Amino acid sequence: IFLAMGAVAALFIIAVPMDIWQKYSGAFLFLAIFLLVIVLIPGIGKVVNGSRRWLSFGPMSMQASELAKFCLLLFFSGYLARRNDVVRYSWTAFFVMVGIVGVIVGLLLLEPDFGSSVVISFTLGAMMFVAGVPVLRFALLALIASGGFAAMAVLSPYRWERLVAFMDPWSRQFDSGYQLVQSLIAFGRGEWFGLGLGNSLQKLFFLPEAHTDFIFAIIAEEFGLLGAVALVCLFIFFIVKILMLSRAASNKGQMANAYLCFGIGVMLAVQAFINMGVASGLLPTKGLTLPFISYGGSSLLVTCMLVALLVRVNWEVSRGDAND
């Protein structure tokens, strides 16, 4: 159902010129903030596993942070393109952008949604850097963000417990380290070539969230090391193609499109890296979907919308080549 919805939304997005999206990019910022505010209101926001992240639309639910990602990418790409000279040299413009990111992250942490906070912060920070924000200011922003996230991890009891379990999951294999231990077992069972499609045992009530947060571990169990590496290579190929499209748009002088493509590429790369890193024990446990792979209607719908933007940008860049 969500794939069908994503296809319909994608067709609509492809049909709209990028100039129109950029013309109303400012409205998308207010839409993102509106979504992240109303999801916190009891009776409107739906609580699942202790987090108030979902908005109910009849029989279906949408994750507010996923829709906010789409809106923020459009806003920041337009803002950085329109005010590029100011962004490069003005401290005021820099602090305006930092303030916007701070408001968004603050609203996400109230849900709480630490994973989306990290993804959005890294993505928007990378867009600011590639738009020409001086290295000193970017380093200051990175330092503030890193210090803030580290403080939240240390001061929050359940996040600190996750960090402790990450360092030695086997010492807590029946408690906070249970998910990671079961995920590592899935990797071990897969060996080189895997157990075969559908033959995973870990997804049979051993590994929690096997269909979402830890789907990569199940892929490794069923398709082995070679299958897991093949999936990583597919993501790398996809991200590289997106960055090449960003460069092509930049060469055509379509800077808003270039920043948008770059942001989409970074966001998908960071989210995939975190999901795979969590499943393999490289990163502490954090609930983020694997784009295109994990079950989750909100993620699939928004990913289809982002890909539609890429298709539209590619068409406009190619049309520019034809006109030349």
Side-chain angles (χ1 to χ4, degrees):
I1 292 174
F2 275 99
L3 181 59
M5 293 171 58
V8 172
L11 290 174
F12 170 77
I13 289 171
I14 292 173
V16 178
M18 292 307 302
D19 289 344
I20 302 298
W21 292 108
Q22 297 301 336
K23 180 180 179 181
Y24 297 101
S25 61
F28 284 103
L29 173 63
F30 293 101
L31 178 58
I33 295 175
F34 174 75
L35 290 170
L36 295 177
V37 168
I38 64 170
V39 77
L40 298 174
I41 301 175
I44 298 179
K46 181 181 178 182
V47 179
V48 178
N49 294 330
S51 298
R52 192 181 299 275
R53 303 179 185 176
W54 283 263
L55 295 170
S56 295
F57 299 97
M60 295 181 294
S61 297
M62 286 292 298
Q63 197 165 338
S65 60
E66 293 293 333
L67 294 172
K69 292 175 184 176
F70 179 85
C71 297
L72 290 170
L73 285 170
L74 283 171
F75 168 74
F76 264 79
S77 62
Y79 183 86
L80 291 171
R82 290 192 308 270
R83 310 200 44 151
N84 190 257
D85 290 339
V86 178
V87 166
R88 288 172 180 265
Y89 303 110
S90 171
W91 278 95
T92 302
F94 172 74
F95 283 117
V96 166
M97 291 186 293
V98 172
I100 293 172
V101 176
V103 170
I104 297 298
V105 170
L107 291 171
L108 286 169
L109 293 176
L110 290 175
E111 296 181 6
D113 191 349
F114 188 77
S116 293
S117 302
V118 173
V119 171
I120 289 176
S121 298
F122 193 93
T123 300
L124 300 183
M127 292 174 68
M128 291 163 60
F129 178 74
V130 80
V133 172
V135 175
L136 177 62
R137 298 178 195 175
F138 185 78
L140 176 62
L141 175 62
L143 182 63
I144 294 173
S146 300
F149 286 130
M152 285 183 287
V154 172
L155 297 176
S156 176
Y158 81 93
R159 292 194 183 106
W160 177 251
E161 185 62 26
R162 284 184 174 182
L163 286 174
V164 173
F166 162 71
M167 298 302 295
D168 187 10
W170 299 98
S171 65
R172 292 170 169 77
Q173 58 180 307
F174 299 112
D175 189 18
S176 55
Y178 179 79
Q179 286 181 308
L180 181 53
V181 166
Q182 297 301 317
S183 181
L184 294 176
I185 290 174
F187 276 91
R189 287 177 52 80
E191 298 185 355
W192 283 96
F193 302 103
L195 302 176
L197 179 62
N199 292 330
S200 167
L201 294 180
Q202 289 304 103
K203 67 184 181 184
L204 303 179
F205 306 107
F206 291 102
L207 179 59
E209 309 299 336
H211 58 305
T212 53
D213 300 349
F214 288 90
I215 189 70
F216 186 61
I218 304 303
I219 291 174
E221 184 181 8
E222 296 191 352
F223 297 98
L225 175 64
L226 296 182
V229 171
L231 180 60
V232 172
C233 291
L234 284 174
F235 269 102
I236 292 174
F237 175 77
F238 183 57
I239 300 304
V240 169
K241 294 293 287 184
I242 294 175
L243 297 181
M244 291 174 62
L245 176 59
S246 174
R247 184 177 182 85
S250 176
N251 291 337
K252 290 294 179 181
Q254 302 175 14
M255 297 311 301
N257 291 344
Y259 296 142
L260 177 63
C261 292
F262 181 82
I264 293 174
V266 170
M267 178 171 288
L268 294 177
V270 170
Q271 192 159 325
F273 176 77
I274 292 177
N275 180 278
M276 295 177 180
V278 166
S280 59
L282 180 65
L283 299 172
T285 303
K286 179 44 57 191
L288 280 175
T289 57
L290 184 60
F292 303 106
I293 308 296
S294 294
Y295 178 88
S298 301
S299 176
L300 180 59
L301 176 61
V302 172
T303 304
C304 288
M305 294 164 63
L306 294 177
V307 171
L309 288 174
L310 295 173
V311 173
R312 179 70 200 191
V313 171
N314 182 68
W315 185 80
E316 293 191 3
V317 170
S318 300
R319 185 181 61 177
D321 289 337
N323 292 336
D324 292 341

